Amino acid sequence: EAGVAQSPRYKIIEKRQSVAFWCNPISGHATLYWYQQILGQGPKLLIQFQNNGVVDDSQLPKDRFSAERLKGVDSTLKIQPAKLEDSAVYLCASSHWGGRNTEAFFGQGTRLTVV
Amino acid sequence: DQQVKQNSPSLSVQEGRISILNCDYTNSMFDYFLWYKKYPAEGPTFLISISSIKDKNEDGRFTVFLNKSAKHLSLHIVPSQPGDSAVYFCAAPQGEGSQGNLIFGKGTKLSVKP
């Protein structure tokens, strides 16, 4: 079974520029998550999708971050304009929709550096 | 306000000995806890979990203990191996449904020395 695919692996941009990350979840997984992991911290959930609908985006900085999952499969996360504090690893995860023992699988992440 | 706390940023143990990683939580509504393992340049991978109705769950060399009255859980690795060197995150699901909507601790970096 193929894992969660993310691209690009690394991205360096200047502040105020825009950037987009792509995620392709495990086939058949209805639920998709985007996390932000700042150096020295644990991952923090930005947004959760169930198929193409948003379940939780309470921690997404909506003035600069946006995410979509138009066809209920792959997803993009965009930052516009980027700030220095957005430097982090952006992780995508996916799972079936189910109970607490339904495992979530993470991709390798995209490391963003804003200079 | 951190709801899941890992107060030890790092831990170093000798190969073959026991590794004990600790985690505290503040939200008494949490009903499930997970440990994830993360190698550099990789995403976190699920290691072991425990429901709040249990006080112990064991999987091979890995055992998680839960003390609800103290709001504390710990991960024991016995015996520790060099391949266990990684960052370990404690996490708890929030909201309904599957595990993926998680609150993570800051992680503990485990180094197992040969």
Side-chain angles (χ1 to χ4, degrees):
Chain A
E1 177 178 76
V4 176
Q6 291 189 246
S7 66
R9 288 296 310 276
Y10 305 92
K11 190 74 177 178
I12 301 175
I13 62 171
E14 295 183 348
K15 59 184 180 184
R16 291 186 290 272
Q17 285 187 323
S18 62
V19 64
F21 313 125
W22 175 82
C23 172
N24 190 29
I26 292 173
S27 178
H29 281 189
T31 310
L32 185 146
Y33 315 83
W34 282 102
Y35 280 84
Q36 178 194 58
Q37 186 180 10
I38 293 172
L39 186 65
Q41 305 287 321
K44 181 183 82 170
L45 181 74
L46 293 175
I47 190 167
Q48 175 185 353
F49 290 96
Q50 173 70 13
N51 295 310
N52 60 351
V54 175
V55 175
D56 184 352
D57 64 355
S58 57
Q59 298 190 92
L60 186 73
K62 299 179 185 67
D63 57 334
R64 297 184 301 106
F65 286 65
S66 64
E68 59 183 15
R69 194 184 183 200
L70 292 175
K71 296 182 179 179
V73 181
D74 56 354
S75 176
T76 55
L77 175 70
K78 296 179 182 178
I79 308 175
Q80 182 179 7
K83 293 185 176 181
L84 296 176
E85 59 260 37
D86 299 331
S87 295
V89 175
Y90 291 84
L91 295 161
C92 180
S94 71
S95 71
H96 291 295
W97 179 256
R100 289 288 193 241
N101 61 351
T102 306
E103 185 179 342
F105 296 85
F106 284 81
Q108 291 182 298
T110 295
R111 180 176 295 277
L112 173 67
T113 303
V114 182
V115 297
Chain B
D1 178 34
Q2 272 193 288
Q3 298 188 64
V4 177
K5 301 177 184 179
Q6 294 177 259
N7 293 319
S8 298
S10 63
L11 175 67
S12 182
V13 299
Q14 206 67 33
E15 181 179 6
R17 306 292 290 269
I18 184 172
S19 295
I20 300 176
L21 296 93
N22 293 304
C23 177
D24 297 294
Y25 62 95
T26 58
N27 190 338
S28 57
M29 298 298 292
F30 287 152
D31 60 359
Y32 202 82
F33 301 91
L34 306 94
W35 286 92
Y36 275 81
K37 177 179 180 180
K38 186 181 183 302
Y39 292 116
E42 294 186 12
T45 55
F46 169 72
L47 185 60
I48 192 169
S49 62
I50 188 166
S51 166
S52 61
I53 63 172
K54 295 184 175 181
D55 55 16
K56 176 182 174 181
N57 188 28
E58 190 172 355
D59 183 2
R61 297 185 296 114
F62 303 90
T63 303
V64 56
F65 296 92
L66 175 61
N67 182 334
K68 284 191 295 183
S69 61
K71 293 191 177 69
H72 176 84
L73 59 157
S74 60
L75 174 67
H76 292 213
I77 307 174
V78 184
S80 301
Q81 299 174 353
D84 296 329
S85 297
V87 177
Y88 290 79
F89 292 98
C90 174
Q94 55 181 349
E96 299 296 323
S98 55
Q99 295 177 5
N101 188 335
L102 295 164
I103 298 176
F104 282 88
K106 289 186 176 182
T108 297
K109 184 176 182 180
L110 174 65
S111 299
V112 181
K113 298 183 177 181

